[in-house]
Each structure stands twice: as structure tokens, then as C-alpha cells.
Amino acid sequence: MTAAMVAVAATGAAGCAALGRATFKEPTVALREFNITGLGLTGGSVDVVLSVYNPNGYKLDALKMTYQVDVDSIKLGEGALDGRFVVQEKDSSLVRLPVRFTYAGLGAAGRALIQAGTVNYRVRGDFTVDTPLGNFTRPYDQKGRYSSVAGSR
């Protein structure tokens, strides 16, 4: 009898997890801005600000977020944000990611931003969120064009 109850409980939990994954809508991640925070002889650091939109009808409590930022298909930097942040239901939150970079390889992207005022970008990684339906780790991948005058497009 105990084994049957455990089996029923396990089946119910698996069913709830599957239902939760089916009803979970992926958050949208978009680049908002770059802020230079330091420059040195070989490189520097920037804060990359992302806008994370939650399309779900409940808040998302982000437990972790990994990221890689590319500028004109050149890897600018990568890292992980272990600090928690909350995105309310059907709302957006800004997330600031620290990125260290070297000047080698960024010359063309820097020249494009200075000359044209715009540059292509890609930001990708994954995030783990705690929801009423359980924890979910999902990838994100966003491409766009950043304008130093008007922000991202």
C-alpha cells in the first residue's frame, strides 16, 4: 500500500512538472545599453544592461543567469550572475551584467560604433528561475543592433 501511494505521488508530481513546463512562457531578453566602467592598457570593463520581460501571470524569481555578449560576432565577454533578481508578472526588470574585455579583436566593432554610431550585438546564455510551478533553466539568445545615440533597436 505504501509503495502504491509513493507511486501515485511520484506520478502526480511528474504530471505537475510537465504541466508547469507546458504553461511556462519564456522571458524575453533584450540589450538596453552599454556603460563603460573602466579602461586600462590592455582592455576594460563595461556594464551590459539587459531588459528581462516576464510574459507569465506570476512573478519569476531568478536564481542564476549566465551570459555571453558578442559585438559584431566578436566575443566581448562572458560570465555568470549569481545574485537573485525578481521580474514581476507581465513586467520587465533591468539586469546589469559586468563584462571585462580586451582591446584585441574589438577594434573593428569599436570603429563601427564610432564611425556609424551603430553595431550588431548578440547576447545569449541561460537563466534559472523559481516559479510556483518549480525551477526552470532555459536558454535565451537575442540579436539586435545597438545605437550609441538611441540605445538598442
Side-chain angles (χ1 to χ4, degrees):
M1 177 127 167
T2 303
M5 290 177 63
V6 169
V8 168
T11 303
C16 287
L19 179 61
R21 284 185 181 82
T23 61
F24 178 74
K25 295 178 188 162
E26 303 290 335
T28 304
V29 179
L31 178 73
R32 214 24 122 70
E33 61 186 67
F34 289 100
N35 294 314
I36 297 173
T37 57
L39 296 174
L41 294 175
T42 60
S45 58
V46 295
D47 278 347
V48 174
V49 180
L50 301 178
S51 174
V52 179
Y53 174 72
N54 174 15
N56 295 288
Y58 47 84
K59 76 176 183 174
L60 298 179
D61 186 6
L63 305 173
K64 182 177 182 179
M65 181 175 195
T66 64
Y67 56 90
Q68 178 175 323
V69 180
D70 300 330
V71 178
D72 271 342
S73 72
I74 299 165
K75 183 176 166 182
L76 177 65
E78 65 185 347
L81 181 66
D82 289 322
R84 294 175 84 123
F85 63 92
V86 175
V87 185
Q88 296 298 327
E89 62 185 71
K90 306 213 182 282
D91 199 4
S92 296
S93 288
L94 295 180
V95 179
R96 190 171 306 275
L97 307 174
V99 177
R100 298 191 58 71
F101 65 91
T102 63
Y103 295 127
L106 284 182
R111 281 191 299 279
L113 187 58
I114 290 170
Q115 292 172 350
T118 63
V119 68
N120 293 321
Y121 72 86
R122 180 179 183 192
V123 61
R124 59 193 154 148
D126 60 42
F127 53 89
T128 302
V129 293
D130 181 24
T131 74
L133 303 172
N135 289 356
F136 297 99
T137 299
R138 292 289 190 266
Y140 65 92
D141 192 337
Q142 178 69 41
K143 294 179 183 179
R145 189 150 185 85
Y146 179 80
S147 170
S148 60
V149 176
S152 66
R153 296 183 209 199

